[in-house]
Amino acid sequence: MIRFILVVLFVVIFLICSIPLFFIEWLIGKINMDAKNRSSLAIVNWAFRCVLFLSGVKVTVLGEENVPKDTAVLYVANHSSYFDIVLTYVRVPRPTGYVSKAEILKVPLLSQWMKNLHCLFLDREDLKKGLQTILEGIEKVKSGISICIFPEGSRRKPADTFLPFHEGSFKIAQKSGCPIVPVCLNNTSAIWEDQFPKIKKAHVVIEYGKPIYINELDKENKKFLGAYVQNIISETYFKNKELV
């Protein structure tokens, strides 16, 4: 429980102490939005690295050279832990927003940082609002902001299984033309969810697949893009199980 308490204390203290930074970041954004994007990225990267240190997580990263550095991308990852966001965000090479559930908007301070980081809040109960969120994602990618999405829609599932990847999750890439980067995460639930509420040391493997360019796929894979990407991540997942 010591790690859990340390992580919670750090997050609470960080959020409270960062309140003055909201004004500073707002001011920077008025002068230079790119500078604000980079400073927000650096601040949250530092905070997330502290969380990982306090959690005792060991990370093996494979294929990071596959991530394009000169263009915005759509990261698509399997999902089994809240730590998936922390683990992947510290590695993004450019400003990146995550697609999150709309309920997070109710969390003070955290939701403000997420807005600063260009996160999108998806209302799964309202089709019209969901479409608007996707349109916002398309515009962000066109402006140079990468987006990360977990197309299973939930992290609650039996171990070593995958929920179907929602085809709508890929609209951002289909409409913007950006590359899709498959991200495979192994053993992330071992950090917290497997023995909730305790946080334990764990070895996590992250592998970035080669970027997928939709216009280079054949007709069948374009039609069932979710299944195609899920298969790539699934194969990588079971390949990397022996590394954990």
Side-chain angles (χ1 to χ4, degrees):
M1 284 295 289
I2 294 177
R3 287 193 181 89
F4 174 77
I5 293 170
L6 288 174
V7 168
V8 170
L9 280 175
F10 173 80
V11 171
V12 171
I13 292 170
F14 168 76
L15 289 174
I16 294 172
C17 292
S18 69
I19 292 174
L21 292 176
F22 292 137
F23 174 73
I24 297 172
E25 290 292 280
W26 174 82
L27 194 60
I28 294 173
K30 288 293 182 181
I31 301 169
N32 186 325
M33 184 55 70
D34 183 58
K36 177 189 176 183
N37 289 338
R38 286 184 281 107
S39 62
S40 292
L41 174 66
I43 292 167
V44 175
N45 264 346
W46 173 82
F48 280 177
R49 288 182 187 280
C50 290
V51 168
L52 292 175
F53 173 77
L54 293 172
S55 302
V57 179
K58 178 185 176 184
V59 184
T60 297
V61 181
L62 305 171
E64 202 162 15
E65 69 279 0
N66 290 323
V67 180
K69 305 298 189 297
D70 58 349
T71 186
V73 305
L74 177 68
Y75 295 99
V76 174
N78 58 307
H79 193 29
S80 59
S81 172
Y82 281 117
F83 273 83
D84 296 341
I85 299 167
V86 180
L87 287 157
T88 53
Y89 196 84
V90 298
R91 314 208 72 85
V92 296
R94 61 190 301 120
T96 301
Y98 280 61
V99 178
S100 176
K101 55 186 179 182
E103 289 81 358
I104 296 295
L105 284 167
K106 298 176 183 178
V107 183
L109 302 180
L110 175 62
S111 59
Q112 184 57 51
W113 271 115
M114 292 178 72
K115 290 176 184 177
N116 281 0
L117 298 170
H118 300 279
C119 291
L120 303 171
F121 301 92
L122 184 64
D123 188 338
R124 300 189 186 112
E125 305 301 320
D126 191 320
L127 216 60
K128 187 176 180 181
K129 288 183 179 179
L131 176 60
Q132 183 59 40
T133 301
I134 297 300
L135 293 175
E136 289 175 19
I138 293 168
E139 290 307 310
K140 286 187 181 295
V141 168
K142 288 181 177 179
S143 69
I145 306 294
S146 292
I147 296 293
C148 180
I149 193 166
F150 300 103
E152 291 170 285
S154 175
R155 57 188 175 79
R156 296 192 179 103
K157 57 196 173 183
D160 298 335
T161 63
F162 294 82
L163 297 174
F165 281 21
H166 297 296
E167 295 292 339
S169 303
F170 298 87
K171 292 294 183 185
I172 293 174
Q174 290 168 329
K175 298 298 183 182
S176 68
C178 75
I180 297 169
V181 176
V183 184
C184 179
L185 302 163
N186 280 76
N187 206 40
T188 57
S189 63
I191 303 170
W192 188 32
E193 281 79 2
D194 289 352
Q195 64 283 327
F196 178 86
K198 294 180 180 179
I199 290 177
K200 289 188 175 182
K201 284 185 177 181
H203 178 210
V204 170
V205 178
I206 305 173
E207 181 163 353
Y208 296 88
K210 292 182 179 179
I212 299 167
Y213 296 88
I214 297 176
N215 60 356
E216 296 178 0
L217 298 177
D218 59 38
K219 186 177 180 180
E220 187 71 10
N221 288 329
K222 283 181 182 177
K223 185 178 179 181
F224 301 104
L225 188 56
Y228 175 73
V229 178
Q230 180 177 1
N231 185 57
I232 291 173
I233 293 177
S234 177
E235 287 183 355
T236 306
Y237 178 89
F238 290 105
K239 171 182 70 75
N240 289 342
K241 274 200 70 176
E242 63 186 37
L243 301 179
V244 175

